[in-house]
Amino acid sequence: MSTSLKQDICGQEAPGTLVTNIKNSRIEQRLPPEVRYACLYWIQHLQKSDAQLYDNDQVHQFLQVHLLHWLEALGWMQKISEGILAILSLEAQIPVSLYRNARNPD
């Protein structure tokens, strides 16, 4: 996903463009099936792998660079609600000690 996701992935250049004003073929071209699948299910795959989350790990770095790009892609796919649920699911996977340190740095 890191190589596929970018700002204005559908090349609209006009913020606020509605999904209904974009041809499906353009969305499908810019977001091929494998990218759509990855956008929808990467957090579920991460959880099934039993990977531990840490500061500056690959997940952290991905989210720092591509969180908004990922959400934009989900918007074009009309799947924002799935993204919100995925973020909540990912947040629940963060170790309590890591979460506390992030909220209360010394």
Side-chain angles (χ1 to χ4, degrees):
M1 283 192 321
S2 290
T3 58
S4 299
L5 296 180
K6 63 181 183 175
Q7 183 175 345
D8 194 21
I9 195 163
C10 286
Q12 293 310 293
E13 299 177 7
T17 302
L18 300 176
V19 173
T20 55
N21 293 340
I22 304 291
K23 292 182 180 178
N24 281 338
S25 61
R26 182 169 190 92
I27 295 171
E28 290 169 4
Q29 176 188 21
R30 299 293 180 101
L31 293 167
E34 63 275 11
V35 174
R36 289 192 304 255
Y37 180 89
C39 285
L40 286 172
Y41 299 111
W42 74 271
I43 291 177
Q44 290 176 354
H45 284 276
L46 178 71
Q47 290 171 325
K48 288 181 182 180
S49 75
D50 291 327
Q52 296 296 314
L53 300 177
Y54 300 99
D55 277 342
N56 281 333
D57 66 4
Q58 283 184 310
V59 173
H60 186 194
Q61 291 175 20
F62 171 79
L63 291 172
Q64 284 182 313
V65 175
H66 294 292
L67 175 64
L68 293 179
H69 305 151
W70 173 59
L71 291 173
E72 178 188 354
L74 291 174
W76 289 121
M77 296 163 45
Q78 299 184 22
K79 300 289 186 178
I80 287 289
S81 59
E82 284 87 340
I84 292 168
L85 293 174
I87 289 170
L88 293 172
S89 178
L90 184 62
E91 182 183 34
Q93 193 175 339
I94 298 171
V96 174
S97 60
L98 184 61
Y99 185 73
R100 282 190 189 140
N101 291 339
R103 294 200 57 169
N104 301 314
D106 292 32

XYZ file of all heavy atoms in Angstrom:
861
model
N 0.821 -1.188 0.000
C 0.000 0.000 0.000
C 0.868 1.256 0.000
O 0.456 2.261 -0.569
C -0.926 0.020 1.220
C -2.110 -0.889 1.105
S -3.403 -0.663 2.350
C -2.539 -0.343 3.840
N 2.015 1.188 0.631
C 2.866 2.374 0.711
C 3.263 2.881 -0.663
O 3.434 4.089 -0.859
C 4.123 2.079 1.526
O 3.789 1.905 2.875
N 3.419 1.989 -1.626
C 3.804 2.421 -2.963
C 2.598 2.868 -3.794
O 2.771 3.569 -4.787
C 4.542 1.303 -3.718
O 3.696 0.162 -3.786
C 5.848 0.951 -3.024
N 1.407 2.500 -3.388
C 0.207 2.826 -4.161
C -0.528 4.057 -3.655
O -1.088 4.810 -4.447
C -0.765 1.642 -4.144
O -0.165 0.517 -4.728
N -0.554 4.254 -2.349
C -1.341 5.342 -1.783
C -0.601 6.667 -1.880
O 0.603 6.731 -1.655
C -1.687 5.049 -0.320
C -2.576 3.839 -0.076
C -2.827 3.661 1.413
C -3.891 3.947 -0.832
N -1.344 7.703 -2.230
C -0.779 9.048 -2.308
C -1.920 10.048 -2.226
O -3.094 9.699 -2.379
C 0.000 9.244 -3.602
C -0.858 9.120 -4.855
C -0.047 9.306 -6.104
C -0.957 9.250 -7.322
N -0.238 9.530 -8.535
N -1.563 11.308 -2.016
C -2.551 12.370 -1.966
C -3.210 12.508 -3.333
O -2.560 12.393 -4.371
C -1.881 13.679 -1.570
C -2.853 14.827 -1.412
C -2.166 16.080 -0.901
O -1.057 16.035 -0.407
N -2.838 17.198 -1.029
N -4.511 12.757 -3.327
C -5.294 12.954 -4.550
C -5.107 11.787 -5.515
O -4.817 11.967 -6.693
C -4.943 14.285 -5.215
C -5.955 14.684 -6.283
O -7.097 14.183 -6.251
O -5.601 15.485 -7.165
N -5.296 10.595 -4.988
C -5.036 9.370 -5.750
C -5.887 9.281 -7.023
O -5.456 8.704 -8.012
C -5.210 8.120 -4.867
C -4.593 6.903 -5.550
C -6.669 7.895 -4.503
C -4.337 5.732 -4.645
N -7.058 9.883 -7.011
C -7.905 9.846 -8.201
C -7.721 11.067 -9.093
O -8.430 11.230 -10.086
C -9.377 9.679 -7.804
S -9.742 8.001 -7.251
N -6.760 11.921 -8.766
C -6.412 13.048 -9.619
C -7.510 14.068 -9.811
O -7.653 14.617 -10.907
N -8.244 14.367 -8.781
C -9.355 15.315 -8.917
C -8.944 16.766 -8.744
O -9.584 17.650 -9.279
C -10.467 14.964 -7.917
C -11.129 13.659 -8.232
C -11.548 13.604 -9.685
O -12.433 14.343 -10.111
N -10.920 12.753 -10.474
N -7.912 17.013 -7.999
C -7.365 18.359 -7.784
C -8.354 19.338 -7.157
O -8.001 20.461 -6.857
C -6.800 18.954 -9.079
C -5.674 18.129 -9.660
C -5.151 18.671 -10.970
O -5.559 19.767 -11.391
O -4.324 17.979 -11.577
N -9.592 18.972 -6.994
C -10.600 19.848 -6.398
C -11.137 19.193 -5.129
O -11.909 18.238 -5.214
C -11.733 20.100 -7.382
N -10.716 19.694 -3.970
C -11.247 19.131 -2.725
C -12.771 19.229 -2.709
O -13.354 20.197 -3.203
C -10.638 20.017 -1.639
C -9.457 20.658 -2.269
C -9.784 20.782 -3.727
N -13.393 18.232 -2.170
C -14.846 18.238 -2.074
C -15.552 17.582 -3.241
O -16.785 17.568 -3.288
N -14.805 17.037 -4.199
C -15.435 16.333 -5.316
C -16.176 15.120 -4.778
O -15.644 14.347 -3.991
C -14.384 15.875 -6.340
O -13.670 17.016 -6.805
C -15.028 15.168 -7.517
N -17.413 14.962 -5.197
C -18.226 13.846 -4.727
C -17.890 12.566 -5.485
O -17.595 12.606 -6.688
C -19.712 14.164 -4.901
C -20.236 15.398 -4.151
C -21.702 15.638 -4.509
C -20.056 15.242 -2.660
N -17.983 11.449 -4.782
C -17.741 10.147 -5.407
C -18.699 9.940 -6.570
O -18.315 9.393 -7.607
C -17.885 9.012 -4.370
C -17.803 7.654 -5.025
C -16.834 9.141 -3.287
N -19.906 10.425 -6.418
C -20.902 10.252 -7.486
C -20.549 11.025 -8.753
O -21.097 10.742 -9.814
C -22.303 10.684 -6.991
O -22.224 12.026 -6.495
C -22.799 9.762 -5.896
N -19.626 11.987 -8.649
C -19.208 12.761 -9.825
C -17.982 12.172 -10.513
O -17.463 12.773 -11.452
C -18.922 14.212 -9.428
C -20.171 14.940 -8.994
O -21.290 14.551 -9.305
N -19.985 16.009 -8.251
N -17.515 11.037 -10.042
C -16.337 10.380 -10.605
C -16.781 9.084 -11.278
O -17.578 8.331 -10.722
C -15.312 10.035 -9.487
C -14.939 11.281 -8.703
C -14.103 9.333 -10.056
C -14.128 12.262 -9.483
N -16.247 8.839 -12.449
C -16.559 7.581 -13.127
C -15.952 6.417 -12.356
O -14.810 6.496 -11.889
C -16.009 7.593 -14.554
C -16.695 8.572 -15.462
C -16.137 8.499 -16.870
C -16.842 9.501 -17.753
N -16.310 9.498 -19.116
N -16.721 5.329 -12.257
C -16.221 4.125 -11.569
C -14.932 3.629 -12.200
O -14.047 3.133 -11.510
C -17.274 3.012 -11.568
C -18.331 3.236 -10.508
O -18.113 3.942 -9.522
N -19.481 2.634 -10.716
N -14.821 3.765 -13.502
C -13.619 3.278 -14.189
C -12.377 4.025 -13.715
O -11.288 3.441 -13.625
C -13.774 3.401 -15.702
O -13.963 4.759 -16.078
N -12.516 5.304 -13.399
C -11.368 6.085 -12.916
C -10.946 5.590 -11.528
O -9.760 5.432 -11.251
C -11.699 7.568 -12.864
C -10.506 8.400 -12.420
C -10.772 9.880 -12.636
N -9.577 10.652 -12.435
C -8.718 10.996 -13.368
N -8.922 10.625 -14.618
N -7.654 11.705 -13.089
N -11.921 5.352 -10.662
C -11.618 4.848 -9.319
C -10.989 3.467 -9.423
O -9.992 3.179 -8.758
C -12.887 4.833 -8.444
C -13.372 6.281 -8.217
C -12.620 4.125 -7.113
C -14.727 6.393 -7.553
N -11.531 2.614 -10.281
C -10.988 1.264 -10.450
C -9.579 1.292 -11.023
O -8.742 0.467 -10.673
C -11.921 0.426 -11.331
C -13.226 0.098 -10.635
C -14.264 -0.500 -11.561
O -13.957 -0.741 -12.758
O -15.386 -0.730 -11.099
N -9.310 2.255 -11.901
C -7.968 2.387 -12.493
C -6.965 2.840 -11.435
O -5.854 2.323 -11.350
C -8.006 3.387 -13.644
C -6.648 3.660 -14.251
C -6.695 4.801 -15.257
O -7.599 5.631 -15.247
N -5.707 4.836 -16.124
N -7.340 3.817 -10.634
C -6.435 4.371 -9.631
C -6.335 3.506 -8.383
O -5.348 3.576 -7.653
C -6.887 5.780 -9.234
C -6.908 6.770 -10.386
C -5.477 7.039 -10.886
N -5.425 7.976 -11.984
C -5.098 9.242 -11.865
N -4.780 9.750 -10.701
N -5.072 10.016 -12.923
N -7.388 2.734 -8.121
C -7.409 1.821 -6.975
C -7.730 0.415 -7.467
O -8.871 -0.037 -7.391
C -8.468 2.276 -5.950
C -8.197 3.594 -5.244
C -9.437 4.084 -4.521
C -7.042 3.449 -4.282
N -6.725 -0.286 -8.000
C -6.975 -1.639 -8.517
C -7.419 -2.579 -7.392
O -7.268 -2.266 -6.205
C -5.622 -2.045 -9.102
C -4.624 -1.114 -8.535
C -5.340 0.122 -8.118
N -7.959 -3.731 -7.758
C -8.521 -4.653 -6.761
C -7.580 -4.993 -5.603
O -8.004 -5.047 -4.455
C -8.870 -5.904 -7.577
C -9.064 -5.411 -8.954
C -8.134 -4.242 -9.117
N -6.289 -5.195 -5.904
C -5.362 -5.569 -4.829
C -5.152 -4.427 -3.836
O -4.989 -4.657 -2.634
C -4.023 -6.061 -5.387
C -3.236 -5.048 -6.175
C -3.604 -4.936 -7.654
O -4.636 -5.501 -8.089
O -2.844 -4.270 -8.387
N -5.212 -3.189 -4.312
C -5.073 -2.034 -3.414
C -6.349 -1.867 -2.596
O -6.290 -1.611 -1.381
C -4.739 -0.748 -4.200
C -4.741 0.473 -3.290
C -3.402 -0.899 -4.904
N -7.491 -2.035 -3.229
C -8.763 -1.952 -2.484
C -8.811 -3.010 -1.397
O -9.196 -2.732 -0.263
C -9.948 -2.093 -3.444
C -10.117 -0.870 -4.335
C -11.450 -0.891 -5.059
N -11.633 -2.107 -5.845
C -11.529 -2.168 -7.162
N -11.253 -1.101 -7.856
N -11.719 -3.299 -7.789
N -8.407 -4.235 -1.729
C -8.397 -5.312 -0.743
C -7.456 -4.962 0.418
O -7.819 -5.085 1.588
C -7.963 -6.637 -1.383
C -7.932 -7.772 -0.392
C -9.071 -8.549 -0.175
C -6.788 -8.060 0.349
C -9.062 -9.579 0.752
C -6.781 -9.083 1.274
C -7.910 -9.841 1.472
O -7.903 -10.856 2.401
N -6.264 -4.502 0.097
C -5.284 -4.155 1.130
C -5.820 -3.043 2.022
O -5.670 -3.096 3.250
C -3.958 -3.750 0.493
N -6.438 -2.036 1.431
C -6.998 -0.936 2.216
C -8.064 -1.421 3.193
O -8.147 -0.936 4.318
C -7.596 0.127 1.297
S -6.370 1.165 0.465
N -8.863 -2.354 2.753
C -9.953 -2.835 3.596
C -9.507 -3.822 4.676
O -10.073 -3.841 5.762
C -11.033 -3.497 2.731
C -11.897 -2.544 1.936
C -12.792 -3.324 0.982
C -12.738 -1.678 2.863
N -8.495 -4.629 4.386
C -8.222 -5.754 5.275
C -6.844 -5.789 5.913
O -6.514 -6.721 6.629
C -8.467 -7.071 4.522
C -9.891 -7.194 4.061
C -10.211 -7.126 2.703
C -10.929 -7.339 4.968
C -11.519 -7.225 2.270
C -12.247 -7.438 4.546
C -12.532 -7.376 3.195
O -13.834 -7.457 2.787
N -6.001 -4.763 5.718
C -4.632 -4.842 6.235
C -4.602 -4.934 7.753
O -3.771 -5.667 8.311
C -3.771 -3.704 5.711
C -4.022 -2.343 6.289
C -4.911 -1.421 5.835
C -3.357 -1.749 7.400
N -4.838 -0.284 6.601
C -3.892 -0.454 7.568
C -2.347 -2.175 8.275
C -3.468 0.409 8.569
C -1.919 -1.305 9.264
C -2.481 -0.036 9.410
N -5.497 -4.253 8.423
C -5.483 -4.302 9.886
C -5.936 -5.670 10.377
O -5.367 -6.211 11.330
C -6.324 -3.153 10.481
C -5.607 -1.825 10.200
C -6.544 -3.348 11.982
C -6.339 -0.588 10.651
N -6.900 -6.273 9.716
C -7.325 -7.625 10.098
C -6.184 -8.625 9.910
O -5.965 -9.487 10.754
C -8.548 -8.055 9.288
C -9.789 -7.289 9.662
C -10.972 -7.638 8.791
O -10.855 -8.384 7.808
N -12.125 -7.103 9.121
N -5.443 -8.510 8.814
C -4.298 -9.392 8.595
C -3.222 -9.164 9.647
O -2.616 -10.116 10.148
C -3.720 -9.194 7.192
C -4.528 -9.817 6.109
N -4.406 -11.135 5.751
C -5.492 -9.297 5.311
C -5.252 -11.409 4.778
N -5.921 -10.310 4.490
N -2.994 -7.910 9.991
C -2.024 -7.578 11.027
C -2.413 -8.227 12.349
O -1.579 -8.834 13.031
C -1.931 -6.055 11.190
C -0.998 -5.554 12.278
C 0.453 -5.791 11.874
C -1.250 -4.075 12.540
N -3.673 -8.139 12.707
C -4.133 -8.725 13.960
C -4.007 -10.249 13.957
O -3.616 -10.833 14.961
C -5.578 -8.310 14.230
C -5.684 -6.843 14.570
C -7.105 -6.352 14.640
O -7.968 -6.798 13.888
N -7.351 -5.425 15.546
N -4.315 -10.873 12.851
C -4.213 -12.333 12.776
C -2.770 -12.809 12.825
O -2.495 -13.941 13.176
C -4.903 -12.849 11.522
C -6.408 -12.749 11.628
C -7.097 -13.288 10.413
C -8.593 -13.117 10.579
N -9.340 -13.620 9.443
N -1.833 -11.910 12.514
C -0.416 -12.283 12.556
C 0.141 -12.245 13.969
O 1.273 -12.649 14.194
C 0.404 -11.342 11.668
O 0.557 -10.077 12.298
N -0.647 -11.723 14.916
C -0.205 -11.565 16.309
C 1.017 -10.660 16.436
O 1.802 -10.801 17.375
C 0.064 -12.920 16.976
C -1.213 -13.709 17.210
O -2.257 -13.075 17.469
O -1.166 -14.948 17.139
N 1.195 -9.757 15.496
C 2.318 -8.812 15.549
C 2.125 -7.867 16.728
O 1.006 -7.475 17.048
C 2.406 -8.025 14.254
N 3.220 -7.513 17.366
C 3.193 -6.550 18.459
C 3.459 -5.158 17.881
O 4.284 -5.004 16.991
C 4.269 -6.895 19.497
C 4.035 -8.229 20.187
C 2.748 -8.248 21.007
O 2.474 -7.316 21.750
N 1.957 -9.274 20.831
N 2.770 -4.168 18.395
C 2.940 -2.798 17.924
C 3.908 -2.049 18.823
O 3.866 -2.182 20.041
C 1.590 -2.083 17.906
C 0.521 -2.708 17.018
C -0.782 -1.949 17.134
C 0.985 -2.762 15.576
N 4.784 -1.262 18.206
C 5.773 -0.481 18.930
C 5.897 0.889 18.295
O 5.582 1.075 17.124
C 7.153 -1.175 18.877
C 7.155 -2.550 19.473
C 7.063 -3.676 18.666
C 7.245 -2.727 20.851
C 7.060 -4.946 19.212
C 7.244 -3.996 21.404
C 7.153 -5.103 20.584
O 7.139 -6.359 21.132
N 6.414 1.847 19.078
C 6.733 3.148 18.509
C 7.740 2.968 17.378
O 8.679 2.187 17.491
C 7.348 4.075 19.567
C 6.296 4.748 20.415
O 5.129 4.793 19.999
O 6.643 5.238 21.508
N 7.528 3.686 16.313
C 8.403 3.687 15.135
C 8.499 2.354 14.406
O 9.417 2.160 13.613
C 9.810 4.198 15.478
C 9.833 5.704 15.564
O 9.034 6.383 14.924
N 10.732 6.239 16.354
N 7.575 1.445 14.646
C 7.569 0.215 13.860
C 6.952 0.504 12.484
O 6.620 1.655 12.178
C 6.840 -0.921 14.591
C 5.341 -0.667 14.777
O 4.819 0.353 14.280
O 4.683 -1.495 15.428
N 6.815 -0.506 11.645
C 6.304 -0.296 10.283
C 4.888 0.260 10.280
O 4.555 1.106 9.448
C 6.332 -1.604 9.490
C 7.706 -1.988 8.998
C 7.637 -3.236 8.132
O 7.043 -4.235 8.518
N 8.240 -3.155 6.965
N 4.056 -0.208 11.204
C 2.674 0.281 11.264
C 2.667 1.762 11.629
O 1.986 2.563 10.994
C 1.849 -0.548 12.280
C 0.463 0.051 12.472
C 1.754 -1.994 11.825
N 3.433 2.116 12.626
C 3.525 3.507 13.068
C 4.019 4.390 11.919
O 3.436 5.445 11.636
C 4.471 3.585 14.269
C 4.538 4.934 14.901
N 5.515 5.267 15.793
C 3.775 6.042 14.778
C 5.349 6.517 16.183
N 4.300 7.004 15.579
N 5.059 3.970 11.242
C 5.613 4.745 10.130
C 4.612 4.856 8.977
O 4.474 5.919 8.357
C 6.927 4.140 9.662
C 8.038 4.293 10.681
C 9.310 3.590 10.268
O 9.525 3.293 9.101
N 10.171 3.321 11.244
N 3.910 3.760 8.683
C 2.898 3.787 7.625
C 1.814 4.809 7.947
O 1.438 5.630 7.106
C 2.271 2.403 7.429
C 1.089 2.422 6.513
C 1.256 2.467 5.136
C -0.203 2.423 7.026
C 0.155 2.504 4.284
C -1.303 2.466 6.183
C -1.122 2.507 4.809
N 1.332 4.775 9.184
C 0.264 5.690 9.567
C 0.739 7.145 9.573
O -0.025 8.040 9.198
C -0.301 5.298 10.933
C -1.086 3.983 10.935
C -1.444 3.581 12.361
C -2.331 4.065 10.069
N 1.981 7.383 9.964
C 2.506 8.748 9.946
C 2.513 9.322 8.533
O 2.236 10.492 8.327
C 3.921 8.788 10.523
C 3.956 8.687 12.027
C 5.376 8.784 12.553
O 6.291 8.131 12.057
N 5.559 9.612 13.560
N 2.829 8.492 7.561
C 2.955 8.965 6.175
C 1.634 8.846 5.405
O 1.284 9.737 4.627
C 4.060 8.169 5.435
C 4.130 8.545 3.967
C 5.399 8.389 6.117
N 0.892 7.759 5.632
C -0.215 7.435 4.722
C -1.609 7.385 5.345
O -2.554 6.995 4.660
C 0.056 6.086 4.048
C 1.231 6.098 3.137
N 1.257 6.813 1.955
C 2.433 5.507 3.241
C 2.426 6.642 1.368
N 3.163 5.857 2.130
N -1.765 7.778 6.597
C -3.102 7.710 7.204
C -4.134 8.462 6.372
O -5.186 7.914 6.033
C -3.088 8.252 8.640
C -4.459 8.343 9.317
C -5.068 6.952 9.479
C -4.377 9.047 10.646
N -3.844 9.693 6.017
C -4.816 10.474 5.242
C -4.999 9.918 3.831
O -6.112 9.929 3.291
C -4.401 11.946 5.186
C -4.455 12.676 6.524
C -3.992 14.120 6.355
C -5.842 12.630 7.143
N -3.930 9.394 3.249
C -4.040 8.786 1.913
C -4.932 7.545 1.977
O -5.759 7.313 1.083
C -2.663 8.388 1.378
C -1.693 9.516 1.365
N -0.344 9.317 1.499
C -1.861 10.857 1.246
C 0.282 10.489 1.457
N -0.623 11.434 1.307
N -4.752 6.756 3.031
C -5.569 5.546 3.228
C -7.032 5.926 3.403
O -7.919 5.327 2.784
C -5.022 4.762 4.423
C -5.840 3.589 4.850
C -6.174 2.505 4.089
C -6.414 3.368 6.127
N -6.927 1.618 4.826
C -7.078 2.132 6.081
C -6.414 4.092 7.315
C -7.752 1.608 7.179
C -7.079 3.564 8.409
C -7.741 2.334 8.337
N -7.297 6.933 4.245
C -8.678 7.368 4.454
C -9.283 7.934 3.170
O -10.462 7.711 2.888
C -8.739 8.399 5.585
C -8.455 7.847 6.976
C -8.377 8.978 7.994
C -9.488 6.812 7.383
N -8.480 8.639 2.380
C -8.972 9.148 1.103
C -9.364 7.987 0.180
O -10.429 8.006 -0.446
C -7.916 10.013 0.415
C -8.368 10.524 -0.937
C -7.278 11.220 -1.731
O -6.166 11.434 -1.208
O -7.551 11.544 -2.902
N -8.508 6.971 0.117
C -8.817 5.800 -0.714
C -10.104 5.134 -0.242
O -10.962 4.778 -1.060
C -7.653 4.808 -0.685
N -10.255 4.988 1.067
C -11.490 4.403 1.601
C -12.693 5.266 1.237
O -13.776 4.744 0.951
C -11.395 4.235 3.116
C -10.421 3.170 3.611
C -10.319 3.213 5.129
C -10.838 1.781 3.138
N -12.515 6.573 1.239
C -13.603 7.469 0.840
C -14.034 7.237 -0.595
O -15.224 7.160 -0.889
N -13.059 7.107 -1.506
C -13.393 6.834 -2.906
C -14.080 5.481 -3.044
O -14.897 5.294 -3.941
C -12.149 6.888 -3.783
C -11.603 8.262 -3.986
C -10.352 8.699 -3.662
C -12.272 9.385 -4.543
N -10.213 10.030 -3.988
C -11.381 10.476 -4.535
C -13.557 9.584 -5.057
C -11.725 11.735 -5.000
C -13.901 10.848 -5.541
C -12.989 11.900 -5.507
N -13.740 4.560 -2.155
C -14.350 3.229 -2.180
C -15.691 3.200 -1.447
O -16.363 2.178 -1.438
C -13.394 2.216 -1.534
C -12.100 2.044 -2.288
S -10.779 1.250 -1.329
C -11.584 -0.101 -0.533
N -16.049 4.337 -0.836
C -17.262 4.451 -0.012
C -17.227 3.473 1.158
O -18.210 2.818 1.484
C -18.515 4.276 -0.873
C -18.623 5.336 -1.955
C -19.898 5.239 -2.759
O -20.884 4.672 -2.323
N -19.882 5.812 -3.946
N -16.051 3.398 1.804
C -15.833 2.467 2.912
C -15.240 3.165 4.140
O -14.516 2.552 4.912
C -14.892 1.336 2.475
C -15.392 0.511 1.310
C -16.549 -0.342 1.729
C -16.960 -1.279 0.600
N -18.052 -2.158 0.993
N -15.540 4.439 4.344
C -14.983 5.176 5.478
C -15.370 4.526 6.806
O -14.551 4.451 7.721
C -15.442 6.652 5.452
C -14.719 7.397 4.340
C -15.207 7.336 6.786
C -13.255 7.649 4.590
N -16.602 4.066 6.931
C -17.023 3.464 8.207
C -16.173 2.243 8.535
O -15.822 2.023 9.707
C -18.512 3.111 8.189
O -18.797 2.210 7.141
N -15.790 1.463 7.524
C -14.913 0.318 7.760
C -13.542 0.786 8.248
O -12.920 0.156 9.092
C -14.756 -0.531 6.499
C -15.952 -1.408 6.174
C -17.022 -0.702 5.349
O -17.056 0.556 5.327
O -17.843 -1.394 4.742
N -13.068 1.921 7.737
C -11.796 2.478 8.171
C -11.833 2.918 9.623
O -10.877 2.698 10.368
N -12.923 3.530 10.011
C -13.064 3.963 11.408
C -13.060 2.755 12.333
O -12.371 2.750 13.358
C -14.342 4.805 11.579
C -14.182 6.128 10.828
C -14.644 5.044 13.059
C -15.454 6.914 10.671
N -13.795 1.731 11.970
C -13.808 0.508 12.782
C -12.431 -0.140 12.828
O -12.003 -0.650 13.865
C -14.845 -0.486 12.242
C -16.303 -0.047 12.387
C -17.225 -1.036 11.685
C -16.675 0.122 13.844
N -11.710 -0.097 11.719
C -10.365 -0.667 11.676
C -9.421 0.103 12.589
O -8.602 -0.499 13.298
C -9.844 -0.670 10.233
N -9.536 1.419 12.598
C -8.690 2.229 13.479
C -8.990 1.911 14.939
O -8.074 1.771 15.752
C -8.879 3.734 13.190
C -8.258 4.082 11.835
C -8.258 4.589 14.294
C -8.593 5.470 11.340
N -10.254 1.793 15.279
C -10.615 1.436 16.651
C -10.081 0.061 17.020
O -9.592 -0.150 18.135
C -12.140 1.488 16.827
C -12.770 2.877 16.735
C -14.298 2.776 16.717
C -12.287 3.762 17.870
N -10.152 -0.859 16.091
C -9.630 -2.199 16.309
C -8.120 -2.172 16.495
O -7.564 -2.845 17.370
C -10.017 -3.085 15.124
O -9.507 -4.365 15.268
N -7.442 -1.377 15.692
C -5.991 -1.238 15.806
C -5.621 -0.593 17.140
O -4.679 -1.028 17.810
C -5.449 -0.408 14.645
C -3.942 -0.245 14.554
C -3.266 -1.596 14.364
C -3.589 0.685 13.408
N -6.366 0.414 17.539
C -6.108 1.086 18.818
C -6.228 0.105 19.984
O -5.436 0.153 20.927
C -7.084 2.248 19.012
C -6.842 3.011 20.298
C -7.850 4.118 20.513
O -9.021 3.962 20.120
O -7.454 5.144 21.087
N -7.176 -0.805 19.911
C -7.366 -1.795 20.977
C -6.177 -2.750 21.067
O -5.966 -3.390 22.101
C -8.651 -2.576 20.738
N -5.394 -2.844 20.016
C -4.244 -3.743 19.976
C -2.979 -3.108 20.558
O -2.001 -3.786 20.814
C -3.991 -4.168 18.521
C -3.040 -5.317 18.383
C -2.934 -5.770 16.939
O -3.810 -5.502 16.116
N -1.867 -6.456 16.609
N -3.005 -1.799 20.787
C -1.829 -1.104 21.319
C -1.619 -1.515 22.772
O -2.552 -1.456 23.569
C -2.008 0.421 21.218
C -2.142 0.840 19.759
C -0.857 1.156 21.899
C -2.529 2.290 19.571
N -0.407 -1.928 23.128
C -0.143 -2.290 24.525
C -0.439 -1.113 25.456
O -0.150 0.036 25.130
C 1.351 -2.622 24.543
C 1.712 -2.877 23.122
C 0.763 -2.077 22.288
N -1.011 -1.407 26.610
C -1.406 -0.369 27.556
C -0.227 0.517 27.929
O -0.342 1.738 27.974
C -2.039 -1.002 28.821
C -2.313 0.058 29.876
C -3.312 -1.728 28.453
N 0.943 -0.063 28.156
C 2.109 0.732 28.557
C 2.506 1.709 27.453
O 2.860 2.850 27.719
C 3.286 -0.168 28.910
O 3.658 -0.952 27.794
N 2.435 1.283 26.207
C 2.774 2.156 25.087
C 1.763 3.287 24.971
O 2.111 4.439 24.761
C 2.815 1.345 23.786
C 3.247 2.067 22.527
C 4.659 2.601 22.677
C 3.179 1.121 21.345
N 0.496 2.968 25.170
C -0.567 3.961 25.089
C -0.413 4.993 26.204
O -0.520 6.188 25.972
C -1.924 3.261 25.174
C -3.089 4.184 24.982
C -3.399 4.703 23.733
C -3.893 4.550 26.066
C -4.470 5.553 23.554
C -4.973 5.404 25.890
C -5.251 5.898 24.635
O -6.318 6.737 24.457
N -0.121 4.549 27.406
C 0.057 5.467 28.535
C 1.249 6.381 28.314
O 1.191 7.574 28.584
C 0.244 4.686 29.843
C -1.046 4.166 30.391
C -0.839 3.611 31.794
N -2.053 2.928 32.197
C -2.089 1.810 32.849
N -0.963 1.227 33.230
N -3.235 1.255 33.179
N 2.358 5.845 27.833
C 3.545 6.655 27.576
C 3.285 7.719 26.516
O 3.797 8.822 26.593
C 4.729 5.785 27.148
C 5.242 4.929 28.295
O 5.009 5.234 29.459
N 5.919 3.854 27.961
N 2.509 7.381 25.515
C 2.206 8.331 24.453
C 1.310 9.469 24.961
O 1.433 10.603 24.539
C 1.528 7.627 23.284
N 0.434 9.157 25.865
C -0.497 10.173 26.377
C 0.104 11.008 27.490
O -0.280 12.147 27.691
C -1.764 9.485 26.874
C -2.513 8.844 25.697
C -3.907 8.591 25.999
N -4.537 9.841 26.399
C -5.825 9.970 26.537
N -6.611 8.973 26.313
N -6.353 11.111 26.914
N 1.055 10.443 28.243
C 1.659 11.136 29.382
C 3.164 11.100 29.308
O 3.814 10.480 30.154
C 1.184 10.507 30.705
C -0.314 10.563 30.868
O -0.909 11.582 30.625
N -0.899 9.455 31.264
N 3.758 11.736 28.313
C 5.225 11.704 28.221
C 5.854 12.457 29.389
O 5.341 13.468 29.830
C 5.528 12.387 26.892
C 4.310 13.214 26.601
C 3.158 12.554 27.284
N 6.963 11.951 29.857
C 7.656 12.587 30.991
C 8.594 13.644 30.513
O 9.192 13.675 29.546
C 8.430 11.541 31.777
C 7.468 10.587 32.474
O 6.368 10.317 31.957
O 7.821 10.124 33.547
